[in-house]
Amino acid sequence: MDVSVFGIGYVGLVQAATLADVGHRVVCVDIDERKIQQLQRGVPPIQEPGLPELLEDNLRDGRLAFSTQARDAIIHGQVIFIAVGTPPDEDGSADLSQVLAVTREIARHMEEDRTLVIKSTVPVGTASQVAATAREELGRQDKNHLRVRVVSNPEFLKEGNAVNDCTRPDRIIIGTDDDEARAQLAEIYAPFCRNHDKLIFMDNRSAELTKYAANAMLATRISLMNELANLAEQLGADIEAVRKGIGSDPRIGYHFIYPGCGFGGSCFPKDLRALLHTAASNGQPLRLLQSVQEVNEQQRQVLFRKLKQHYPDGLAGKSIAIWGLAFKPNTDDMREAPSRDLMEALWREGATVRAFDPEAMSECRRIYGYRDDLVLCATRDDTLQNADALVICTEWKAFRVVDFELLASKLRDRLIIDGRNLYNPVQVAAAGLHYLGIGLPHVPPYQIQAGAQ
Ligand code: NAD
């Protein structure tokens, strides 16, 4: 099918590339000229495993095109995906200005009926708002004979695994009451349903709420584990043992029960805020989710709190190595990353940060620029030069195996604070290091005597 995609960020780009890869002809539009020029040369502006290959193949085969010209894309695509940002407004509600601007633009240029597919995460009722906005603009243009069908098709991809998630989705939610739109979407997604049918049809409002419900459920699991981890620390229990103990129950499962330094990223915090706003403004406050949010805000300070406890005289003049800047592994995305809370708190205290991330170094530079108290290091181990302590913010694979003896010889205060519980506390302590994880019992550092069994 001829398809267009507006908004070529994490969602739009991966969606466009996977649609092209199964044979659809896809035209992508973004207002960011630099990004589009880069993409026309086949260079992805984001880090996603598998994306460079998809771009190269589909650009070469002419199934994928990038442009800043909205009109051409509107003429091209019978079905137009909207994947622009929906950032939080000051009151926490989702800002729909980008979605509505694209809607008006489509209505202005369309010459035949069009199906608009809302991929962006939007509050319940947005599909009706988009339909009304399109009708209004069509009326203004004297094009009342044209029809706009609106489909709510929320995206569930995980950054860092986005290509895989779009190629092999668990489910595809299609919210619409329009039969023709339903048939079009079934055709577009048929190549992704060869193994079994993944399409779940429902009304627009339920589809919109499904996206928020999914993120709310996942965020709740994380905050619950973080609260239990903090309690485990007080009680001298080991949250990692507890995690395994409950994860083995199939009703619970192992996903999203890892304790850590709080959730971040472009979705969970923002979507939680937007859902809380929707709920409150409909007279149905979500008390449980308010707590989930509060727990997370506290937890994002946990690494700094642990540092402060270790250094009661303050952190001024300290040099802190940080491993991991992205909000999670396999992405360069630092939106609302816990590493940012930590770095900013350290800078306020007068400490210096020596940081490394396998993918997010340029993003960090873009956000914070050049400053004396931020040293971006070329390798993981370079961060240890003249560092007093090490803090781990992101669970990149490259951090899983380390030489604790080396760490003990480099870190001046022999301290590791691990926001992701990557290591075995006994093994770390055996190298003479202080090791503070999340919800782990504290094993005091000790040195195995030479020759001991
Ligand atoms: P993003 O900020 O990476 O990309 C949005 C893009 O839209 C930008 O490139 C921007 O230049 C472009 N844009 C803005 N106005 C435009 C216009 N008028 N015409 C064309 N392009 C325009 O955002 P993202 O992370 O891809 O998220 C997009 C939406 O998908 C959001 O609603 C988000 O909540 C949702 N979502 C994101 C993820 C994720 O993991 N990032 C997952 C699921 C859903």
Side-chain angles (χ1 to χ4, degrees), residues 6-12 29-32 35 83-86 98 101-102 105 119-122 155-159 211 266-267 270-271 327 333 335:
F6 276 69
I8 309 304
Y10 285 86
V11 168
V29 178
D30 203 288
I31 48 172
D32 184 336
K35 193 185 266 191
V84 293
T86 48
Q98 296 178 28
V102 170
E105 180 117 49
K119 267 271 154 211
S120 304
T121 302
V122 292
E155 181 52 60
F156 298 94
L157 65 77
K158 301 179 283 297
E159 283 180 29
K211 172 68 192 176
S266 68
C267 291
K270 156 177 96 69
D271 294 349
F327 84 94
D333 196 343
R335 288 179 283 186

Side-chain angles (χ1 to χ4, degrees), residues 13-14 31 122-123 126 138 152 154 164 235 241 255 280 285 363 399 443:
L13 178 55
V14 177
I31 48 172
V122 292
T126 301
L138 285 172
S152 308
N164 192 42
L235 299 177
H255 292 296
E363 181 60 2
F399 304 155
V443 183

Side-chain angles (χ1 to χ4, degrees), residues 250-429:
R251 294 170 304 176
I252 297 175
Y254 289 104
H255 292 296
F256 280 82
I257 57 167
Y258 285 87
C261 47
F263 56 76
S266 68
C267 291
F268 282 13
K270 156 177 96 69
D271 294 349
L272 217 54
R273 261 178 250 144
L275 181 59
L276 285 169
H277 183 273
T278 300
S281 46
N282 282 277
Q284 191 67 51
L286 298 172
R287 293 190 305 273
L288 180 58
L289 286 185
Q290 275 161 4
S291 303
V292 167
Q293 189 186 41
E294 278 163 29
V295 168
N296 193 54
E297 275 158 20
Q298 288 289 316
Q299 197 68 8
R300 291 163 62 100
Q301 301 298 327
V302 71
L303 300 174
F304 183 65
R305 256 197 326 269
K306 284 176 188 282
L307 273 172
K308 284 280 274 185
Q309 274 164 12
H310 194 86
Y311 294 111
D313 297 334
L315 283 145
K318 289 283 172 198
S319 173
I320 307 296
I322 294 185
W323 287 2
L325 297 168
F327 84 94
K328 66 172 183 178
N330 298 327
T331 179
D332 58 348
D333 196 343
M334 285 182 66
R335 288 179 283 186
E336 301 214 29
S339 65
R340 296 177 65 168
D341 297 64
L342 174 64
M343 287 193 289
E344 290 166 22
L346 286 170
W347 291 330
R348 279 194 296 273
E349 291 278 312
T352 297
V353 167
R354 297 180 57 81
F356 171 75
D357 186 284
E359 299 286 358
M361 305 290 266
S362 349
E363 181 60 2
C364 185
R365 191 60 89 200
R366 189 189 66 75
I367 296 168
Y368 292 113
Y370 289 87
R371 43 188 298 165
D372 291 344
D373 49 10
L374 171 63
V375 183
L376 292 179
C377 300
T379 68
R380 181 190 85 169
D381 292 348
D382 282 355
T383 60
L384 308 173
Q385 296 297 334
N386 301 319
D388 295 298
L390 166 66
V391 185
I392 298 169
C393 291
T394 318
E395 66 277 32
W396 283 95
K397 264 195 196 131
F399 304 155
R400 283 195 200 160
V401 177
V402 293
D403 176 350
F404 295 118
E405 304 294 333
L406 175 79
L407 290 186
S409 70
K410 295 271 186 192
L411 294 171
R412 286 192 293 232
D413 295 331
R414 297 181 155 232
L415 171 65
I416 302 179
I417 297 186
D418 182 358
R420 301 295 174 181
N421 289 354
L422 295 184
Y423 310 125
N424 175 343
V426 175
Q427 210 185 346
V428 190

